[in-house]
Amino acid sequence: MSAAPPARAELLMAMSDNARGLVLAVASSAFIGASFILKKKGLKRAASDGTRAGIGGYTYLLEPLWWTGMVTMIVGEVANFVAYVYAPAVLVTPLGALSIIVSAFLAHFMLKERLQRMGIVGCVCCIVGSVVIVIHVPQEHTPSSVQEIWDLATQPAFLIYVGATISTVLALVLYFEPHYGQTNILVYLGICSLMGSLTVVSIKAIGIAIKLTLEGISQIAYPQTWFFVTVAAVCVVTQLNYLNKALDTFNAAIVSPVYYVMFTTLTIVASAIMFKDWSGQTASSIASEICGFITVLLGTIILHSTREQESANARGTVQWYVGGDSVKSVEEEHLVTLSNSDYLERREFT
């Protein structure tokens, strides 16, 4: 009888932590989804005054709206980081899909980037498939120290994954980006997602170090703590750089779901390798994950086909611009832009 009150208190505390994690995860998705749109508008404004980020320009650093989006993203990422401290990944990660809905909704009204019906189907497939994958990932063991995470990070299987990730990123940056970066969305987002999977591991280590330190078990003196901080910083900077290029080059309503799918998938793979999550799974769980991957793949293909159709329809069109992002008819504006695959010419009517 005497053990009942402490057990009840422990259960209530766990529920309270999960509730905090839930609120933080939802808030994180809202901020991150909005940041995509704010940064996209900032990039478009900066491109009108200088070199586009997609071809190596950095004039967006002088654009206040881009910085507003940047701050919004940082707030969202911080909320997401804290959510992982309070709640398990199986609760926090699926809620990242909300950022896709937020960004697609805002892109419709703020950027005039309308998804076709098949694009909406692709988004739904991506969200459903990603959620199915995350739901069936087993509960991972939470390390009790940074040293324990270091032991997991230096096991042969994960070192092979890190080596393959770094090799792939180098190949994408050195070869595929110059040749296909402006036409294939997977180049920029592949770099972001691969680096992101390493970011999650580092962030998890940092979160555990902070939590243990606040509980009185200092992890500051461990060199592994600062190694993970350095890795996280490098990976985050790389992610932001190539995410800017992706947003400047491709439709924001396409970037968000594809990035979410790739990032979530690679994060699950990295986590499974490092923490050996898949070793104790049942056949039904494995089958469900395979179905989730197939659904995600289908959604990604649909989104790519929608993007290609939009690009094809854009060739040989006539659009009238007032300035900035607005599109006007010939009755409303005297500045017209004629474009096709062979030339670009501007004329001003009198």
Side-chain angles (χ1 to χ4, degrees):
M1 294 295 292
S2 60
R8 222 182 274 114
E10 186 176 340
L11 177 61
L12 289 174
M13 183 174 293
M15 292 176 62
S16 177
D17 285 347
N18 283 343
R20 289 180 189 144
L22 175 63
V23 172
L24 288 167
V26 172
S28 169
S29 295
F31 279 113
I32 292 174
S35 73
F36 275 101
I37 308 307
L38 294 173
K39 290 171 68 178
K40 176 73 173 183
K41 285 186 70 71
L43 289 168
K44 294 181 75 172
R45 287 186 182 179
S48 64
D49 299 326
T51 306
R52 292 173 49 229
I55 56 176
Y58 293 94
T59 54
Y60 62 86
L61 294 175
L62 303 176
E63 177 56 50
L65 190 58
W66 183 87
W67 281 108
T68 301
M70 185 66 189
V71 171
T72 303
M73 173 171 278
I74 291 174
V75 171
E77 293 294 350
V78 170
N80 191 60
F81 170 76
V82 179
Y84 277 106
V85 174
Y86 284 106
V90 293
L91 174 64
V92 177
T93 307
L95 295 177
L98 295 177
S99 65
I100 301 174
I101 300 173
V102 171
S103 61
F105 178 81
L106 293 178
H108 178 82
F109 293 101
M110 296 179 64
L111 299 179
K112 309 302 180 185
E113 295 181 355
R114 293 177 174 82
L115 274 175
Q116 303 296 326
R117 292 178 180 176
M118 289 304 296
I120 296 174
V121 172
C123 285
V124 172
C125 289
C126 288
I127 295 172
V128 171
S130 297
V131 170
V132 169
I133 292 171
V134 173
I135 286 176
H136 290 88
V137 170
Q139 184 73 34
E140 66 180 13
H141 165 68
T142 302
S144 58
S145 68
V146 172
Q147 181 62 51
E148 186 177 348
I149 290 187
W150 180 258
D151 292 338
L152 294 172
T154 53
Q155 60 184 321
F158 190 71
L159 289 177
I160 291 174
Y161 174 81
V162 172
T165 296
I166 294 175
S167 299
T168 304
V169 168
L170 289 176
L172 289 172
V173 171
L174 299 177
Y175 177 77
F176 288 96
E177 182 187 358
H179 294 87
Y180 308 106
Q182 296 293 308
T183 57
N184 194 323
I185 195 174
L186 296 180
V187 175
Y188 292 144
L189 295 187
I191 297 171
C192 292
S193 302
L194 287 166
M195 298 300 285
S197 66
L198 299 181
T199 302
V200 169
V201 175
S202 301
I203 290 296
K204 190 172 187 68
I206 296 168
I208 292 174
I210 293 174
K211 185 176 181 181
L212 290 173
T213 300
L214 293 176
E215 292 174 353
I217 308 173
S218 178
Q219 303 290 306
I220 297 177
Y222 288 95
Q224 294 91 337
T225 300
W226 299 105
F227 175 82
F228 285 122
V229 169
T230 303
V231 171
V234 171
C235 291
V236 167
V237 170
T238 304
Q239 284 178 261
L240 291 175
N241 182 40
Y242 284 96
L243 182 58
N244 285 330
K245 292 186 177 184
L247 285 170
D248 186 57
T249 306
F250 302 99
N251 190 311
I254 304 297
V255 170
S256 298
V258 174
Y259 178 52
Y260 168 77
V261 168
M262 296 180 66
F263 173 77
T264 302
T265 303
L266 289 171
T267 298
I268 291 172
V269 171
S271 177
I273 294 174
M274 184 168 178
F275 299 105
K276 299 182 175 66
D277 291 331
W278 289 348
S279 60
Q281 280 192 290
T282 63
S284 60
S285 295
I286 295 174
S288 297
E289 288 186 33
I290 293 175
C291 290
F293 272 107
I294 293 174
T295 305
V296 167
L297 179 60
L298 177 62
T300 304
I301 293 173
I302 293 174
L303 285 168
H304 271 290
S305 63
T306 303
R307 168 65 184 174
E308 291 172 359
Q309 184 178 4
E310 289 176 355
S311 299
N313 292 337
R315 296 189 182 97
T317 60
V318 180
Q319 295 179 325
W320 290 265
Y321 295 92
V322 171
D325 305 333
S326 303
V327 179
K328 299 290 185 178
S329 64
V330 67
E331 292 83 4
E332 297 174 292
E333 182 58 40
H334 65 276
L335 184 63
V336 60
T337 301
L338 304 176
S339 64
N340 59 26
S341 58
D342 298 321
Y343 70 92
L344 178 64
E345 179 182 358
R346 288 181 177 271
R347 293 181 181 176
E348 189 167 324
F349 292 95
T350 57

